[in-house]
């Protein structure tokens, strides 16, 4: 079998098997197939690029045409629709996790997948997912969402442990985003879409252009601008409805929103540059600037029960501020027990508060309660430059340096600092997080002639990496303890208190690594490889990891492959040093919970220890088969991870704990009811199978390709303590479906093309608002995506499509058996609850329903 045939078949097969193979007019078919020959991979080996089926480890290749067809504007959603082992949840009302959504490859946390751009390590985001939906609690991965599909030549997804080659974070695998490098031509795309429910309107304009950089180089530039309206899949909360029924007309018709956040002014600029220096040498540089504003909902603050604002005893009586007492006088305000469904109508409230200038209750300022609105401005910048080539002794070198920075500036609207009483602002800037990373790499490789084997490659190198996490204090009003603190009112901007100057600072570390890779083509049929990496960190010491790979061609059409490796994931600087206060639900009640560093005395008292790296062992075995128009890969894997890092259970604070916390400088202690911390507390084993199969033929007078991609993935927690807790274990094991699959039909004609993709999602654990009483079984579901494209001429293509074409609903929250009283009726299955959600937020295909879009693409 020729290499040309194998590369062409492989690239097309993988693209279609992932559900988004390219389409093209029949007249351009030959040239498009020629382009497929170039779609080879560079991830997974330090040797020459190879085709997917020549790789001893499983690699998915997703081309630019595939990404264009996927019908979404967010890179996370694009990958979710094309890689069955890749999962993303909506994460509504989840603090900063709403700003940078975490994702999961093979059921592991978002920071267990290493992200590369043009083969170089991508910096992580500044957001730590405090409410990360169980699996991602405390994760700090890169912000994949800033990478626009218009800038990409292809995406390579290595589904195998690779820490011995690339260092920390590559436990689940590696994603390499390869930027376009054309020196001419370009595209301009305009797209509009909306959900069937009539919300979530999305507008996107994206463009890419290739320009010559002198006669010997290229400058490829990409821009993308988009906006997305918020969605709502909510019903009125029963407590809010009760207030309205009792005559409180200041309660919003939807007191709390469950949906996707609003995204405004999402702009990204990417540049990729290359220059031939002659003598087999070149210089390169790529960079990006990205910025967006995100705004989403929070929990409703009940005007009878919200602690530290409306009540100090769970709704038994109002929390009343005595203005004179705050100035040093004796207290004169009298208690007002809450004895009705609307305290505003009680005569004792009217006499003692509403008509008393000295006595103040937030029921006067916000009689219908309030719902904070949380958001932030995310700015992401990076630049990498370097040179590569071949020396006189045939040694290939690559020297590069990178700087990446991600900053999250938080804002919270429509809330208050209760301790400031009637003088409180309503909007706050609680502070910023900044992640800054710098790296320097030197890589060498050389092919060595050995008489007894076909080929031998030896590669090695050195990497230096520096990482810092900065906390910037918020505005004074967001964290200050006002004059009403001693009267029981909460401190700081309610929902997300600001970072105090005592919590601000820059936390940093450095590490370096040396590594060596060897690949030996023993015979035409047998490829063996090994990698060894030594890493040393300034914070916790050193680590050594290895990897062994092999591929054996039984025939020209059939081969087997396998790998054995160890890996690690270093705790991030943010995880090791960050402290914050957040609002969370505990047993259905809103409480203020502090996240503490593992070194904090209270965390140590509760069982925390200094964070250490996660350690992993991976083994994989696969089969690659290609025969005529059929291509198939089948890979089984097992990943064992010890000492996994996550956020602990939340512990209730005693009075003595609070005294110790104040002495340790933790902000806003008086309003904190619980604490948690990051910890190495549990071990997991993940097993799974990936199947990709493809068949190409001609039917219905056109070119047809059918494909199947299937993933089985199961994570089991092998050991844990009460620090992790049973509920977290249940989320780790059951939130994601064990079975996911896609089946795709792609059809090409001279003037138009279409594709249809069926997506299967197995059963999952339905969880709502991170509250274990809502656990239920999410039903298996089948959704359909479809797109039709018409080639108006050689340059202009018009497309119309839909995701979840038949509007398959996510599983509804059903409290018929437990908590039905909160719904007010048990006559029909209950889809309401005390938090106002309709669907379980762990739905693997989202809860927003069907989405349609129209798109126009101009090629020049």
């Amino acid at each position: 079998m020729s290499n040309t045939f194998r590369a062409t078949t492989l690239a097309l097969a993988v693209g279609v098997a992932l559900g988004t193979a390219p389409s093209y007019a029949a007249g351009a078919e030959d040239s498009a197939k020629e382009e497929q020959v170039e779609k080879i991979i560079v991830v997974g080996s330090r040797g020459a690029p190879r085709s997917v089926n020549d790789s001893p480890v499983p690699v998915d290749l997703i081309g630019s045409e595939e990404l264009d067809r996927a019908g979404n504007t967010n890179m996370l959603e694009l990958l979710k629709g094309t890689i069955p082992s890749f999962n993303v949840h909506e994460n509504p009302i989840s603090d900063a996790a709403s700003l940078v959504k975490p994702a999961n490859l093979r059921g592991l946390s978002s920071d267990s997948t290493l992200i590369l751009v043009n083969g170089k390590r991508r910096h992580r985001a500044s957001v730590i997912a405090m409410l990360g939906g169980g699996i991602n609690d405390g994760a700090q991965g890169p912000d994949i969402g800033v990478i626009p599909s218009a800038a990409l030549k292809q995406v390579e997804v290595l589904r195998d442990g690779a820490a011995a080659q690339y260092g920390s974070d590559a436990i689940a695998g590696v994603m390499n985003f390869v930027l376009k490098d054309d020196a001419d031509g370009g595209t301009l795309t305009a797209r509009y879409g909306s959900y069937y429910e009539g919300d979530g309107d999305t507008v996107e304009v994206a463009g890419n252009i290739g320009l010559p950089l002198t006669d010997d180089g290229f400058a490829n530039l990409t821009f993308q601008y988009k906006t997305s309206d918020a969605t709502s899949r909510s019903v009125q909360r029963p407590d809010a409805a009760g207030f309205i029924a009792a005559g409180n007309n200041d309660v919003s018709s939807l007191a709390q929103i469950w949906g996707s956040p609003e995204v405004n002014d999402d702009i990204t600029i990417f540049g990729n540059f290359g220059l031939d220096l002659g003598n087999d040498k070149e210089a390169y540089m790529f960079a990006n600037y990205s910025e967006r504003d995100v705004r989403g909902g929070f929990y409703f603050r009940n005007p009878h029960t919200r602690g530290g604002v409306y009540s100090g005893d769970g709704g038994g009586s109002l929390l009343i501020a005595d203005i004179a007492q705050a100035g040093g006088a004796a207290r004169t305000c009298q208690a007002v027990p809450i004895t009705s469904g609307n305290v505003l109508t009680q005569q004792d409230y009217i006499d003692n508060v509403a008509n008393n200038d000295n006595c103040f209750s937030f029921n006067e300022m916000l009689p219908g309660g309030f719902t904070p609105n949380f958001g932030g401005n995310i700015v992401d910048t990076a630049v990498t430059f370097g040179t590569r080539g071949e020396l006189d002794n045939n040694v290939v070198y690559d020297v590069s340096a990178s700087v990446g920075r991600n900053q999250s500036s938080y804002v919270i609207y429509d809330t208050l600092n209760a301790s400031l009483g009637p003088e409180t602002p309503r909007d706050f800037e609680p502070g910023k997080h900044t992640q800054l990373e710098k790296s320097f790499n030197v890589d060498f490789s050389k092919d060595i002639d050995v008489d007894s084997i076909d080929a031998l490659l030896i590669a090695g190198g050195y990497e230096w990496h520096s990482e810092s996490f900065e906390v910037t204090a918020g505005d004074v009003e967001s964290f200050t303890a006002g004059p009403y603190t001693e009267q029981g009112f909460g401190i700081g901007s309610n929902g997300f208190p600001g970072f105090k100057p005592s919590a601000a600072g820059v936390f940093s570390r450095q590490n370096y690594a040396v590594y060596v890779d060897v690949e030996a083509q023993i015979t035409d049929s047998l490829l063996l490889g090994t990698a060894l990496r030594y890493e040393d960190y300034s914070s916790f010491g050193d680590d050594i990891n290895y990897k062994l790979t092999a591929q054996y061609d039984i025939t020209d059409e059939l081969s087997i492959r396998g790998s054995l490796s160890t890996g690690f994931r270093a705790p991030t600087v943010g995880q090791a040093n960050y402290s914050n206060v957040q609002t969370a639900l505990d047993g259905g009640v809103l409480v203020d919970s502090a996240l503490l560093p593992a070194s904090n005395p209270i965390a140590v008292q509760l069982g925390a220890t200094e964070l250490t790296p996660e350690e992993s062992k991976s083994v994989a075995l696969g089969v690659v088969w290609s025969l005529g128009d059929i291509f198939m890969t089948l890979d089984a894997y097992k990943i064992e991870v010890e000492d996994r890092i996550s956020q602990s259970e939340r512990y209730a604070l005693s009075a003595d704990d609070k005294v110790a916390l104040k002495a340790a400088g933790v902000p806003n202690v008086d309003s904190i009811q619980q604490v948690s911390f990051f910890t190495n507390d549990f071990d997991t084993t993940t097993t799974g199978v990936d199947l990709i199969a493809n068949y190409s033929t001609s039917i219905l007078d056109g070119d047809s390709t059918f494909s199947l991609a299937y993933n089985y993935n199961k994570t089991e927690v092998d050991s844990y303590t009460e620090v992790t807790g049973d509920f977290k274990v249940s989320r780790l094991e059951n939130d994601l479906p064990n079975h996911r699959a896609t089946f795709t039909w792609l059809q090409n004609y001279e003037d138009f093309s279409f594709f249809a993709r069926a997506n299967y999602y197995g059963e999952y654990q339905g969880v709502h608002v991170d509250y274990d009483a809502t656990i239920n079984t999410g039903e298996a579901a089948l959704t359909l995506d479809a797109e039709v494209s018409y080639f108006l001429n050689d340059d202009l293509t018009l497309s119309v499509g839909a995701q979840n074409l038949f509007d398959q609903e996510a599983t509804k929250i059903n409290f018929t058996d437990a908590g039905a009283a909160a719904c007010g009726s048990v006559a029909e299955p209950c889809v309401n609850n005390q938090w106002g959600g309709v669907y379980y937020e762990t739905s693997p295909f989202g809860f927003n329903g069907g989405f349609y879009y129209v798109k126009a693409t101009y090629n020049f």
Side-chain angles (χ1 to χ4, degrees), residues 4 7-9 11-12 24 28-39 703:
T4 299
T8 303
T9 304
L12 181 61
Y24 36 79
E29 181 176 342
D30 292 339
S31 61
K33 287 184 177 179
E34 286 295 322
E35 290 180 5
Q36 293 292 339
V37 177
E38 300 302 320
K39 289 188 173 182
D703 295 323

Side-chain angles (χ1 to χ4, degrees), residues 98-99 200-201 227-231 259-265 292-297 373-376:
S98 298
L99 311 183
D201 289 8
T227 61
S228 300
D229 291 343
T231 66
S260 300
E262 176 185 1
V263 181
N264 290 312
D265 297 329
R292 66 183 183 275
D293 294 310
V294 184
R295 185 166 173 170
N373 202 260
F374 179 75

Side-chain angles (χ1 to χ4, degrees), residues 120 203 311 358 496 503 630:
K120 305 299 181 181
V203 176
S311 178
N358 182 55
F496 197 94
I630 299 175

Side-chain angles (χ1 to χ4, degrees), residues 451-603:
D451 293 338
S452 59
I453 62 176
D454 283 6
L456 177 66
L457 171 80
I458 297 179
Y462 169 85
E463 178 178 355
W464 174 86
H465 182 253
S466 172
E467 175 183 354
S468 69
F469 183 81
E470 181 178 3
V471 179
T472 302
D475 55 43
V476 174
E477 292 82 3
S478 71
F479 62 77
T480 190
Y484 299 94
T485 301
E486 298 301 323
Q487 297 183 33
F489 287 87
I491 303 168
S493 44
N494 192 273
F496 197 94
F499 309 135
K500 296 182 69 172
S502 59
V506 179
F507 310 98
S508 61
R509 72 164 179 227
Q510 294 78 40
N511 63 283
Y512 72 88
V514 291
Y515 42 89
V516 60
D517 291 12
V518 179
E519 287 187 1
Q521 190 74 49
I522 304 298
T523 67
D524 288 342
S525 302
L526 179 62
L527 172 69
L528 298 178
T530 183
L532 187 67
R533 185 182 182 99
Y534 170 81
E535 198 113 10
D536 186 88
Y537 282 79
S538 61
S539 53
F540 57 77
D542 55 10
D543 199 89
I544 297 178
N545 289 280
Y546 69 86
K547 183 169 186 175
L548 304 173
T549 59
Q551 183 171 30
Y552 180 71
D553 295 333
I554 299 174
T555 67
D556 286 345
E557 294 79 22
L558 180 66
S559 66
I560 58 175
R561 62 189 180 188
S563 67
L564 175 67
S565 65
T566 63
F568 76 108
R569 187 185 75 78
T572 72
V573 177
Q575 290 171 336
N577 297 280
Y578 176 54
S579 63
N580 187 28
V581 177
Q582 63 196 45
T583 299
L585 275 168
D586 180 61
V589 178
L590 287 178
V591 296
D592 290 332
S593 178
L595 174 73
L596 306 177
S599 56
N600 182 277
I602 296 299

Side-chain angles (χ1 to χ4, degrees), residues 6 16 27 37 126 131 181 317 323 356 562 641 667 715 753 758 767 784 791:
R6 296 182 72 182
V16 177
V37 177
S126 54
L131 302 177
D181 54 7
S317 62
I323 297 174
N356 188 332
V641 188
T715 294
S753 71
V767 178
L784 182 69
F791 309 113

